[in-house]
Amino acid sequence: MTKKSMIRSLQLVFAFSLGAISILSCKGGKNNQNTMGADTVLVKGLYIHSDKIDSLRDCADTTVVYFVKDQTGKLGTRYDSLPGIQHTNEAVLVELKGVVVKTTNDSTAKTLPRTLNVYSINRIERKNFQNVCIQYDFWALGSEPNWNLQISQSENLISFEDFNTQKGYRFNYKTPRINSDTTSWTYESRNREERSNIRVIIRKQDCNDTMSDHVYKYSAEVSINGRNYKGCAVAWK
């Protein structure tokens, strides 16, 4: 091989190598659009999965609600498989990693201008008074039968669950009647679709949980569809 031919061969190899690197770079760049990178965020909040739309209210700033696009393909399944009684459009606690972008669907963007593309599920569990990050009025619980109740103006709900009968009820939040010395709160609401009524009386008085011997600062009485429950309650910190 002459010196001139050798130089030409080296030039061709070099050009081919540059082309291969360029192709790989383009492919890598395309993949990076669909995976986590420097702009990835970790969002903790209350997630709602429904047939119409998935949303997430941010715990750090409760005025921010994201439109959720699940890129993992697992978020809805894990939501549906959570244990316990499920309500329509029930919020659960999650920690998700993803990328925030502008919502492209015009009708959705009117109410949810930001979209969270989810690429990793760090945590998903049912909320309770110990882990929930959105302010509530009261959270009550009782035993014999085993039940719990959440009252939250922030979430516009009064949610009751009877674990013995495996029945759950959901009502819109109604402003309570408060007595003059602010030691009792009475909440009443009706779910016309389910033909259910609820009345809750929270009193500021020591209440002993017989199951754990823990003393709470509030007691709770619940009447739902003629059935009565008694237990203890906690208020938002």
Side-chain angles (χ1 to χ4, degrees):
M1 180 182 292
T2 65
K3 183 176 181 181
K4 185 175 181 180
S5 299
M6 185 178 295
I7 293 173
R8 179 60 180 167
S9 298
L10 289 173
Q11 288 175 336
L12 289 173
V13 171
F14 181 70
F16 177 80
S17 299
L18 285 178
I21 291 171
S22 178
I23 292 171
L24 290 172
S25 297
C26 289
K27 288 184 177 179
K30 185 177 180 180
N31 288 337
N32 285 340
Q33 293 177 7
N34 300 317
T35 55
M36 295 183 291
D39 53 352
T40 301
V41 296
L42 174 64
V43 181
K44 178 182 178 181
L46 293 183
Y47 165 71
I48 294 176
H49 173 62
S50 70
D51 295 334
K52 295 181 179 180
I53 198 167
D54 285 10
S55 63
L56 172 63
R57 183 179 297 275
D58 195 336
C59 285
D61 183 352
T62 57
T63 64
V64 176
V65 182
Y66 298 101
F67 171 50
V68 175
K69 281 190 175 181
D70 176 29
Q71 306 296 344
T72 71
K74 299 177 181 179
L75 190 54
T77 302
R78 290 184 61 176
Y79 175 95
D80 291 334
S81 64
L82 287 172
I85 304 168
Q86 292 193 1
H87 305 277
T88 302
N89 297 329
E90 179 182 5
V92 300
L93 185 71
V94 296
E95 288 183 7
L96 307 173
K97 280 186 178 180
V99 177
V100 178
V101 297
K102 184 178 179 180
T103 301
T104 55
N105 184 291
D106 291 338
S107 59
T108 304
K110 291 179 181 179
T111 53
L112 301 172
R114 295 184 233 183
T115 295
L116 177 65
N117 287 313
V118 177
Y119 295 107
S120 177
I121 305 168
N122 286 22
R123 177 185 183 190
I124 178 168
E125 61 188 46
R126 299 199 70 206
K127 61 183 176 178
N128 57 62
F129 71 90
Q130 295 175 313
N131 68 13
V132 71
C133 55
I134 306 296
Q135 182 175 349
Y136 57 84
D137 294 31
F138 295 98
W139 206 299
L141 63 160
S143 55
E144 300 177 1
N146 187 17
W147 60 271
N148 74 37
L149 168 81
Q150 182 191 4
I151 303 174
S152 175
Q153 183 177 9
S154 301
E155 295 185 54
N156 185 32
L157 69 80
I158 299 175
S159 175
F160 180 86
E161 297 172 325
D162 183 332
F163 295 105
N164 286 44
T165 61
Q166 287 295 297
K167 288 185 178 180
Y169 304 87
R170 185 183 178 95
F171 305 87
N172 288 334
Y173 178 91
K174 301 294 182 182
T175 303
R177 299 194 307 274
I178 305 173
N179 69 345
S180 57
D181 56 356
T182 320
T183 57
S184 73
W185 297 257
T186 301
Y187 297 85
E188 292 181 302
S189 189
R190 175 175 173 77
N191 186 324
R192 296 185 182 278
E193 292 181 1
E194 297 180 359
R195 297 181 181 180
S196 299
N197 297 280
I198 191 168
R199 185 171 187 261
V200 182
I201 301 176
I202 306 291
R203 293 187 175 90
K204 192 174 183 179
Q205 61 184 22
D206 287 348
C207 179
N208 185 19
D209 178 8
T210 56
M211 295 294 290
S212 64
D213 289 329
H214 181 81
V215 178
Y216 295 87
K217 294 182 180 180
Y218 299 88
S219 67
E221 293 181 16
V222 181
S223 177
I224 183 165
N225 293 346
R227 186 169 184 177
N228 299 317
Y229 301 80
K230 290 187 177 181
C232 302
V234 295
W236 178 259
K237 301 174 184 178

